């Protein structure tokens, strides 16, 4: 659970570098600037000497994470409907017992976890900007996609 973009960037560049990138993006927000040259250049320097196969692997991981984030956001409403349906069925099938409270609490906890995951992936402006910079660096270093 959590923000999939954040997980990818921490895996690719390390937690310290990721935090520094976030700080830079936040400072840009305060200055109302849209420049990302420092992050782009730093990523470019870190990746320019990598083998093309390694870069393709990084691009595949990036594509996978982007699809995963879209899937989380797209499937949230199905999760909400399932949680509501579960709560209604539990109320109908197990009325007035301590088991009702336990089952409803479990359903609510699961739904709360999915809601946190949805919010952290839907509204991750800073991470999305970092991911877009990362994608542009990979596109520059390894243009075109080689299919197997």
């Amino acid at each position: 659970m959590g923000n999939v973009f954040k997980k990818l960037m921490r895996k690719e560049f390390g937690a310290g570098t990721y935090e520094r990138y976030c700080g830079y993006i936040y400072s840009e927000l305060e200055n109302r600037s849209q420049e990302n040259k420092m992050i782009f250049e730093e990523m470019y320097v870190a990746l320019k000497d990598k083998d093309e196969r390694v870069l393709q692997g990084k691009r595949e991981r990036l594509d996978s994470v982007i699809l995963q984030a879209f899937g989380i956001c797209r499937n949230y409403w199905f999760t909400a409907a399932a949680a509501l349906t579960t709560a209604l069925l539990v109320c109908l099938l197990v009325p007035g017992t301590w088991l009702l409270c336990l089952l409803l609490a479990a359903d609510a906890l699961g739904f709360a976890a999915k809601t946190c995951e949805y919010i952290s992936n839907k509204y991750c402006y800073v991470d999305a900007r970092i991911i877009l910079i990362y994608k542009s660096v990979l596109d520059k270093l390894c243009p075109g996609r080689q299919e197997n």
Side-chain angles (χ1 to χ4, degrees):
M1 275 192 326
N3 189 325
V4 292
F5 295 147
K6 181 178 184 178
K7 288 179 188 175
L8 176 71
M9 294 312 295
R10 284 182 168 201
K11 181 179 177 184
E12 297 289 330
F13 293 101
T17 303
Y18 167 78
E19 296 299 328
R20 193 172 68 247
Y21 291 164
C22 286
Y24 184 73
I25 297 290
Y26 281 124
S27 69
E28 284 182 350
L29 290 175
E30 291 173 5
N31 298 333
R32 298 181 192 262
S33 172
Q34 296 295 318
E35 297 294 317
N36 299 308
K37 291 179 184 176
M38 187 278 301
I39 296 173
F40 182 89
E41 290 171 2
E42 191 170 315
M43 284 183 182
Y44 186 84
V45 168
L47 297 174
K48 73 178 180 179
D49 296 327
K50 301 285 184 191
D51 183 51
E52 189 170 336
R53 195 173 319 168
V54 172
L55 293 173
Q56 281 298 117
K58 289 181 180 295
R59 180 180 281 185
E60 288 171 7
R61 283 191 297 275
L62 175 62
D63 291 344
S64 172
V65 164
I66 290 171
L67 288 175
Q68 184 180 4
F70 283 134
I72 289 168
C73 293
R74 182 182 40 204
N75 294 330
Y76 175 74
W77 299 109
F78 295 118
T79 303
L84 181 62
T85 303
T86 301
L88 289 173
L89 286 175
V90 166
C91 287
L92 291 174
L93 297 175
V94 192
T97 66
W98 61 272
L99 185 58
L100 172 70
C101 293
L102 183 65
L103 292 173
L104 288 177
D107 187 42
L109 284 174
F111 182 64
K114 282 298 191 182
T115 299
C116 289
E117 182 182 42
Y118 169 75
I119 290 170
S120 71
N121 284 289
K122 176 83 173 172
Y123 302 105
C124 57
Y125 177 74
V126 171
D127 294 323
R129 287 206 31 205
I130 293 171
I131 286 292
L132 288 174
I133 296 166
Y134 182 50
K135 183 173 180 357
S136 65
V137 168
L138 289 175
D139 288 343
K140 184 169 178 86
L141 288 172
C142 191
R145 172 166 294 208
Q146 293 188 5
E147 300 293 330
N148 292 338

